[in-house]
């Protein structure tokens, strides 16, 4: 998810999306631990998306 897309979301939508993305990241990590993912770059992309959303939420709280 791009930063411009994240900025367009409302705070409630952003929190909901962050929860979904964190769950997705956890599921991907578990799947990768059991058997290697076909595209392990997915882990990095999802982790960075979580960080972008968390950063945006922090910036909105200030």
């Amino acid at each position: 998810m791009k930063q411009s897309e994240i900025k367009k979301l409302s705070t409630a939508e952003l929190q909901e999306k962050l929860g979904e993305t964190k769950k997705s990241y956890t599921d991907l990590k578990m799947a990768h631990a059991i058997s290697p993912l076909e595209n392990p770059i997915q882990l990095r992309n999802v982790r960075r998306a979580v960080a972008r959303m968390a950063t945006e939420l922090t910036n909105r709280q200030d």
Side-chain angles (χ1 to χ4, degrees), residues 1-7 14 18 21 44-59:
M1 183 170 240
K2 294 184 179 180
Q3 189 66 27
S4 59
E5 295 171 348
I6 292 171
K7 287 184 182 259
L14 189 55
L18 179 60
T21 309
R44 178 174 54 187
N45 293 339
V46 174
R47 184 178 68 240
R48 288 180 179 179
V50 167
R52 283 187 193 104
M53 288 183 229
T55 300
E56 182 63 25
L57 275 174
T58 302
N59 290 340

Side-chain angles (χ1 to χ4, degrees), residues 8-18 53:
K8 291 178 185 176
L9 296 174
S10 71
T11 303
E13 290 172 332
L14 189 55
Q15 288 173 335
E16 182 180 330
K17 192 79 167 164
L18 179 60
M53 288 183 229

Side-chain angles (χ1 to χ4, degrees), residues 23-51:
K23 182 174 180 351
S24 166
Y25 179 64
T26 304
D27 293 343
L28 276 174
K29 276 190 357 186
M30 294 297 274
H32 187 62
I34 294 169
S35 67
L37 292 175
E38 187 174 311
N39 184 7
I41 302 300
Q42 284 177 305
L43 289 170
R44 178 174 54 187
N45 293 339
V46 174
R47 184 178 68 240
R48 288 180 179 179
V50 167

